[in-house]
Amino acid sequence: MDIVERQGKIEALAEDILTDRQLAIDYDRKRQENREALRRLREQQKTKPTSRRATTTVNMGDFFIVVPTTKAAEMVDGAQKELEGAIGDVQQRLKAKVQMLGELEGNDRMVATAKSMGLKSISGSDLYNITGK
């Protein structure tokens, strides 16, 4: 592979990495907004569960609809779960791309760091099975 071709691949991969990082940031901002909305909806359910305020106005694209607060909370919670899945997917893609970039650049330290980022934490049940406590 000649230098120009190799440098082109490195540049394209680096651009993909930057794009994915920005996407992860955007998803994280949206996740934080959903977290705030869920907290407020749950506070509203606790303070006035049977009053006129048991409904919430929700923006659905180009229009607003009035739905029960419990339904609004379920909708936001579902969107939150989808966002968390999307964030996980972007993070996995980023790890793979960073590792490929390190290999293309010949940077052993970056490759080792990228591989170590691929480690997964153990769950509480796995820890219990290992330690027995």
Side-chain angles (χ1 to χ4, degrees):
M1 172 179 345
D2 67 336
I3 294 174
V4 175
E5 183 181 329
R6 183 170 175 252
Q7 196 64 27
K9 286 183 180 182
I10 289 173
E11 289 294 324
L13 192 56
E15 189 173 323
D16 284 349
I17 289 171
L18 291 176
T19 302
D20 282 350
R21 286 185 71 190
Q22 187 60 48
L23 185 61
I25 290 168
D26 293 342
Y27 282 161
D28 193 52
R29 282 187 185 132
K30 185 66 178 170
R31 179 174 60 174
Q32 184 62 28
E33 290 172 4
N34 283 354
R35 224 181 262 151
E36 292 172 9
L38 276 172
R39 189 190 76 232
R40 288 195 176 135
L41 287 170
R42 289 185 179 135
E43 285 175 3
Q44 184 178 356
Q45 285 175 327
K46 287 180 185 176
T47 57
K48 300 179 183 179
T50 58
S51 72
R52 183 177 176 276
R53 304 263 303 164
T55 60
T56 302
T57 305
V58 179
N59 182 345
M60 298 294 286
D62 293 339
F63 55 94
F64 290 89
I65 60 171
V66 177
V67 296
T69 303
T70 54
K71 180 67 175 170
E74 289 173 9
M75 291 167 46
V76 173
D77 195 38
Q80 185 78 349
K81 289 177 182 173
E82 288 177 17
L83 272 174
E84 288 173 359
I87 289 171
D89 292 344
V90 169
Q91 288 174 344
Q92 290 301 319
R93 285 196 320 252
L94 269 172
K95 290 175 188 178
K97 287 178 182 179
V98 167
Q99 185 175 353
M100 286 185 351
L101 181 64
E103 290 170 357
L104 279 174
E105 289 181 341
N107 188 340
D108 294 334
R109 184 173 180 193
M110 185 187 295
V111 172
T113 301
K115 284 183 181 179
S116 69
M117 287 176 23
L119 298 175
K120 302 209 187 259
S121 61
I122 62 173
S123 67
S125 62
D126 291 339
L127 183 62
Y128 177 78
N129 290 335
I130 292 170
T131 61
K133 295 180 182 179

